Amino acid sequence: MAEFTMPSLGADMDEGTLLEWLVQPGDPVHKGDPVAVVETAKSTIEVECFETGTMAELLVDPGATVPVGTPLAVIGTSGEDGARKPRKRTARHARKKSEPTEPAPASPRPSPPPSAPPPSPAAEPEPMPATPVPAATPATVLHPGHLEAGPLLRHLAEHSGVDLEALRGTGPGGRVTRADVEKAAAARSAARPPRARATPLARRLAAELGVDLTTVAGTGTDSAVRAADVRQAAPGPATPVAPPRADARPAVERHATVPPSDDRAATMRRAIAALMSRANRDIPHYYLSTTVDMAASMNWLREHNRHSPVGERLLPAALLLKAAALAAREVPELNGSWTDNHFTAGEGVHLGVAVSLRGGGLVAPTLRDADALALPQLMAALKDMVTRARTGRLRGSEVSDATITVTNLGDQGVESVFGVIYPPQVALVGFGRVVDRPWAVDGLLGVRPVVTATLSADHRATDGAVGARYLTAVTRLLQNPEQL
């Protein structure tokens, strides 16, 4: 058996809220499969499984907030699951069989003291206790079967709202089987009005926006309605003015008292403030900057986009990110983390990309092995990641293990940015807007597109000479875009 625990989805995460389970007890799971949705102070994230096996038991209910490292579920791994369950059933069965057999030896013990003849009559009554047992009422026969029910069957019954004690088992000896529980659950579901499948976050959002979940087409597992589906189905700008409706008043009053979006933004801001305060306090930063001539890159980009389909065209950001990743591979002293008072080089270049969220705040999901991605692949991965970051659909593996982070504020009109390092990383690269500036080339003054590249680095891990090598590598790569 293996424990599935609340993962750490960032250096600033101390606890998380379990929003929903994407699997149930008895479901097979594979390494990398999303099994739960967790809400952190910054975002809503799908958490993947790190074991392959069968989901044996769910330990935490949706809606609960628990610290990082808290066991959320138990997974029966292949090999252990099959080996443990028979031993458990055997142990329980042995205990049950010992209970009726213990009184039998007790009767011969008191019988010898009176005289020798009693043992022979006492031997005849032994089959008599066995005779009434089959003749007992069905409840008496069924009760041991209920006790034989394994944990998966009990969890299935609990999840389905089925009372095991009220079931008549169809298995050997009157034992309740999985088919009995599923049949009872189906009958129970048929007896109650239909209820739309939706995540807890989607239900909360639907109540706030006045959306009828039964009219929303779900895109989640088994067509479950997700928060993104509710937002899409919500009315336009008129929605916030809907408070006058009587049936919506409780949600509106609650919204007016503690607006969920404002509360979430405040929580995120506090988390960012705590992490950045710690980073500024504990990390001795040094800063470098350089201005890069982007003429060769922009010319190459125009030619590439002219001969590419619309869906494969690139933005300058793709070139900047690829140059940052390749430079990190060339200067590995800046690609890794500072832990336990020493530097640990990263296994691969996993590029964290700062993404601003529409409701305020930011997250930094990870482009894994960014140095090995071709430019079209990197562009597609970037678009997909930014979209899912802003709709709360990131996965756990995408918000952890970054080895160096890039922040690009060029689309905001900023020409240079000096960022704060995201611990435990040791460097953060900043890019501004590509702008036209007077530029001297071979002694002649002209107008060229340029970009300001900056580096914030941890002085404990490196010094300015290493940082300068990194920015020099970035400059060389951007001036030779065919190497990207």
Side-chain angles (χ1 to χ4, degrees), residues 323-361:
L326 289 175
R329 187 170 69 186
E330 288 186 27
V331 187
E333 297 93 330
L334 293 171
N335 184 61
S337 60
W338 183 268
T339 51
D340 299 327
N341 289 321
H342 71 278
F343 173 74
T344 303
E347 297 180 0
V349 179
H350 307 315
L351 208 62
V353 181
V355 177
S356 61
L357 303 179
R358 294 189 180 95

Side-chain angles (χ1 to χ4, degrees), residues 242-258:
R245 296 185 319 177
D247 57 342
R249 181 176 298 171
V252 172
E253 289 175 354
R254 189 166 58 251
H255 185 279
T257 306
V258 184

